[in-house]
Amino acid sequence: MRLTVVHDPIWEDFALSKLVLGAVIGSDQIVILDLTHIPHLHSPGLANLVQVYVQLSKRGKTVQLSQTSEHNRRMLAATRLDQLFTVID
């Protein structure tokens, strides 16, 4: 299942994790989050990614990130979150 994140406000207050969890019930094992429209991840965004990862891992699903900007790749590496997520393009 591929989900496109379209604007920054959904990164606040774990709204993204709630939306993703609602969308993936009974879906494929691999969930791809397309970050095309999110050029700069910030702390709430990273926290939401971790929340999504934890919740989907509990359900036996894998989370992959796609269309990740260079800035976001550096943020994932700096926070070592690149060890949790497979980044595909």
Side-chain angles (χ1 to χ4, degrees):
M1 167 174 265
R2 183 182 204 88
L3 300 172
T4 301
V5 180
V6 293
H7 56 81
D8 230 4
I10 69 171
W11 290 102
E12 297 175 14
D13 301 325
F14 296 106
L16 177 67
S17 60
K18 292 173 188 172
L19 290 172
V20 170
L21 292 174
V24 300
I25 294 174
S27 71
D28 302 330
Q29 287 300 106
I30 298 174
V31 176
I32 301 169
L33 296 179
D34 183 332
L35 301 180
T36 301
H37 303 289
I38 309 297
H40 300 287
L41 282 170
H42 45 75
S43 296
L46 294 171
N48 265 292
L49 286 178
V50 171
Q51 181 71 11
V52 167
Y53 173 84
V54 168
Q55 294 299 319
L56 292 180
S57 292
K58 288 179 182 178
R59 291 164 174 80
K61 299 185 185 299
T62 301
V63 181
Q64 296 179 347
L65 304 178
S66 121
Q67 303 303 317
T68 309
S69 71
E70 186 60 36
H71 174 270
N72 290 344
R73 287 177 192 241
R74 285 194 307 270
M75 287 296 293
L76 291 167
T79 57
R80 300 192 135 182
L81 292 178
D82 59 342
Q83 296 176 12
L84 293 181
F85 300 100
T86 301
V87 177
I88 60 171
D89 285 315

